[in-house]
């Protein structure tokens, strides 16, 4: 199934959050797709949503048994589903920086 970018944007859940336990950290924009469980991160909302669209398109064009993707500014990594992994998305983000 190949979603159109507008469909991905329409179903995206976008939040402006600070990583848990990091009061000194800047807030980041997180865009999540409830259909594929992929996510995009950015310093501005538009960047996070654009990264989400890129992650979902790459995910849908790949093998169906692959982990959801997390697209950060400049790189894409596998994002194990929260249903199969107990670490939070912010834990994974912090490990990449």
């Amino acid at each position: 199934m190949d979603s159109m970018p507008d469909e991905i944007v329409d179903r995206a859940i976008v939040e402006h959050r600070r990583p848990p336990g990091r009061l000194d950290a800047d807030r980041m924009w997180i865009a999540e797709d409830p259909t594929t469980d992929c996510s995009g991160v950015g310093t501005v909302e538009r960047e996070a949503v654009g990264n989400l669209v890129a992650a979902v398109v790459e995910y849908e064009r790949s093998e169906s048994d692959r982990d959801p993707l997390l697209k950060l500014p400049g790189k894409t990594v596998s994002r194990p589903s929260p249903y199969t992994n107990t670490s939070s998305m912010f834990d994974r983000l912090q490990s990449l920086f």
Side-chain angles (χ1 to χ4, degrees):
M1 169 181 124
D2 288 335
S3 299
M4 297 299 293
D6 289 341
E7 294 171 351
I8 299 167
V9 171
D10 288 343
R11 67 182 186 232
I13 300 167
V14 183
E15 296 179 317
H16 196 211
R17 301 188 284 204
R18 179 173 286 131
R22 301 272 321 266
L23 297 177
D24 61 332
D26 290 335
R27 291 178 178 255
M28 299 172 10
W29 286 95
I30 311 293
E32 297 177 291
D33 178 36
T35 303
T36 63
D37 204 27
C38 291
S39 296
V41 177
T43 55
V44 295
E45 182 177 6
R46 186 171 282 184
E47 179 184 29
V49 172
N51 284 340
L52 172 65
V53 170
V56 170
V57 168
E58 183 177 336
Y59 175 79
E60 289 180 340
R61 290 182 180 166
S62 68
E63 299 173 14
S64 61
D65 60 347
R66 182 176 179 184
D67 284 336
L69 297 176
L70 169 63
K71 175 77 170 88
L72 303 168
K75 57 182 151 179
T76 304
V77 296
S78 267
R79 176 182 180 232
S81 172
Y83 303 109
T84 61
N85 189 345
T86 58
S87 66
S88 73
M89 180 170 57
F90 279 113
D91 291 337
R92 291 190 36 81
L93 282 173
Q94 286 177 331
S95 72
L96 295 170
F97 292 100

